[in-house]
Amino acid sequence: MYVIGGGASTSLAERISRELGNAPFAIPFRKRFPDGELYMRVGGKLEGEDVALVQSTRTDQDVLELFLLQDAIREAGARTLWTVIPYFGYSRQDRVFFPGEPVSARALARHVEIDADAVVTVDLHSELTKGAFRKPFFEASGIPAIARLLRERPVDLLVSPDKGGVDRVRRMAERLHKPWSALFKKRIDSEHVELTVPEDFPSVHGKHVVLVDDVITTGGTIVESARVLRQQGASVVMAACTHGLFLRDAFERLKAVTDEIFSTDTLENAAEKASVAPDIAEILKRALPAA
Ligand code: R5P
């Protein structure tokens, strides 16, 4: 199998190629035409090959680059094209909230599939979006990667900031044989949340607590959760997520209230300490035994 790393996921793509036993790895050439349009070119002999293209779609430009690379790989005669989108952008608009809106996640899923034989992603935001894929679709979890890292740290309790994350924190806790609990979150607007401590929440006094979420965007959820845990007497508060977007000053605000922040490498950022490369490679190996 060939692995090609798009501009948003070059390092992760290289890690995946290593996990596949040093599969051939290539970084496409990229430049801008004078009018600003994107030019892409893939190297290597792809004819008849199984190719994994790795590109997160955090920005609109990432999406465009993905489409151009898919087309280039097809044009080069690849046998199969595995489109690996570690962070699948636009996945939060997974339904029509107000009349006249698109289901953006579905729109992206459909267009990504045009030139893909299969799609692989990590912790897709919504179950609904999975139903939009018609081609084979595989989802890796960020939980094993974060659990591998947490095994090296003293941890007393795992906490989800909201009830929606209970399944995630429970699965992580089971892997680590640790207790877990959840706070109660009320979203005020896209940047502000209110966190409260349920009556049955365990004592965190003097404990090492890890907040676990699927994504950190503005940081509002984790900042407020960490404050609440500190008020409750936690001695160490760590924050872990699969997808670290860390918008604007989120990272600085998080650093002020936590002892350590870490994310997986689905997005390139200063906190990516846990790699999902083994988990993605495992999916590719299972699906393509000769990879
Ligand atoms: C909510 O459903 C998600 O699990 C995250 O808690 C949320 O998206 C985080 O966003 P922010 O960092 O902006 O609070």
Side-chain angles (χ1 to χ4, degrees), residues 78-114:
R79 187 172 80 105
T80 58
L81 172 48
W82 289 70
T83 299
V84 181
I85 309 178
Y87 171 73
F88 194 95
Y90 283 91
S91 56
R92 271 173 279 213
Q93 180 82 19
D94 61 357
R95 67 198 79 188
V96 170
F97 297 94
F98 297 101
E101 290 178 347
V103 180
S104 309
R106 183 183 61 202
L108 260 284
R110 283 179 180 165
H111 285 83
V112 159
E113 275 190 335
I114 291 172

Side-chain angles (χ1 to χ4, degrees), residues 1 16 19-21 278 280-291:
M1 169 167 259
I16 293 171
E19 293 290 335
L20 291 171
I280 292 176
E282 199 48 46
I283 287 175
L284 296 171
K285 276 190 230 166
R286 260 190 280 124
L288 273 177

Side-chain angles (χ1 to χ4, degrees), residues 92 125 162 168 185 187 190 213-221:
R92 271 173 279 213
H125 184 68
D162 53 35
R168 180 178 316 108
K185 177 169 92 175
R187 187 161 279 288
S190 59
D213 213 342
D214 60 342
V215 54
I216 297 179
T217 311
T218 66
T221 299

Side-chain angles (χ1 to χ4, degrees), residues 127-144:
E127 286 291 316
L128 275 179
T129 306
K130 291 177 197 169
F133 291 95
R134 301 276 175 267
K135 302 255 179 88
F137 170 80
F138 301 85
E139 187 186 28
S141 165
I143 291 174

Side-chain angles (χ1 to χ4, degrees), residues 109-170:
R110 283 179 180 165
H111 285 83
V112 159
E113 275 190 335
I114 291 172
D115 267 323
D117 291 293
V119 177
V120 182
T121 189
V122 183
D123 284 354
L124 190 62
H125 184 68
S126 148
E127 286 291 316
L128 275 179
T129 306
K130 291 177 197 169
F133 291 95
R134 301 276 175 267
K135 302 255 179 88
F137 170 80
F138 301 85
E139 187 186 28
S141 165
I143 291 174
I146 294 172
R148 287 192 284 270
L149 195 81
L150 286 179
R151 277 199 193 100
E152 298 163 9
R153 305 205 175 13
V155 172
D156 298 311
L157 180 71
L158 296 152
V159 173
S160 167
D162 53 35
K163 299 290 172 199
V166 158
D167 187 50
R168 180 178 316 108
V169 77
R170 183 182 47 73

Side-chain angles (χ1 to χ4, degrees), residues 4-232:
I4 295 189
S9 303
T10 313
S11 308
L12 174 55
E14 194 170 7
R15 287 180 203 123
I16 293 171
S17 88
R18 282 204 295 271
E19 293 290 335
L20 291 171
N22 290 325
F25 167 67
I27 300 173
F29 173 74
R30 173 193 303 102
K31 72 168 187 177
R32 290 274 173 195
F33 286 110
D35 60 2
E37 287 184 0
L38 190 59
Y39 169 91
M40 301 297 304
R41 187 173 174 204
V42 290
K45 287 197 169 44
L46 303 182
E47 195 164 348
E49 296 285 346
D50 297 311
V51 177
L53 166 62
V54 187
Q55 168 78 336
S56 280
T57 54
R58 175 179 176 161
T59 66
D60 298 354
Q61 183 185 309
D62 297 337
V63 176
L64 181 63
E65 181 175 326
L66 178 82
F67 291 160
L68 298 185
L69 287 174
Q70 285 182 307
D71 194 75
I73 293 164
R74 283 277 180 230
E75 193 60 33
R79 187 172 80 105
T80 58
L81 172 48
W82 289 70
T83 299
V84 181
I85 309 178
Y87 171 73
F88 194 95
Y90 283 91
S91 56
R92 271 173 279 213
Q93 180 82 19
D94 61 357
R95 67 198 79 188
V96 170
F97 297 94
F98 297 101
E101 290 178 347
V103 180
S104 309
R106 183 183 61 202
L108 260 284
R110 283 179 180 165
H111 285 83
V112 159
E113 275 190 335
I114 291 172
D115 267 323
D117 291 293
V119 177
V120 182
T121 189
V122 183
D123 284 354
L124 190 62
H125 184 68
S126 148
E127 286 291 316
L128 275 179
T129 306
K130 291 177 197 169
F133 291 95
R134 301 276 175 267
K135 302 255 179 88
F137 170 80
F138 301 85
E139 187 186 28
S141 165
I143 291 174
I146 294 172
R148 287 192 284 270
L149 195 81
L150 286 179
R151 277 199 193 100
E152 298 163 9
R153 305 205 175 13
V155 172
D156 298 311
L157 180 71
L158 296 152
V159 173
S160 167
D162 53 35
K163 299 290 172 199
V166 158
D167 187 50
R168 180 178 316 108
V169 77
R170 183 182 47 73
R171 285 192 286 141
M172 177 96 75
E174 279 169 6
R175 260 177 191 267
L176 295 167
H177 307 289
K178 300 284 178 193
W180 63 272
S181 194
L183 295 167
F184 182 78
K185 177 169 92 175
K186 186 175 160 198
R187 187 161 279 288
I188 311 296
D189 57 38
S190 59
E191 307 231 353
H192 300 95
V193 292
E194 229 173 60
L195 267 297
T196 44
V197 181
E199 269 176 26
D200 59 352
F201 196 74
S203 165
V204 292
H205 194 81
K207 289 190 175 162
H208 291 229
V209 184
V210 187
L211 283 159
V212 181
D213 213 342
D214 60 342
V215 54
I216 297 179
T217 311
T218 66
T221 299
I222 295 294
V223 166
E224 285 310 310
S225 306
R227 279 202 192 117
V228 165
L229 292 172
R230 294 265 187 227
Q231 279 163 9
Q232 298 285 309

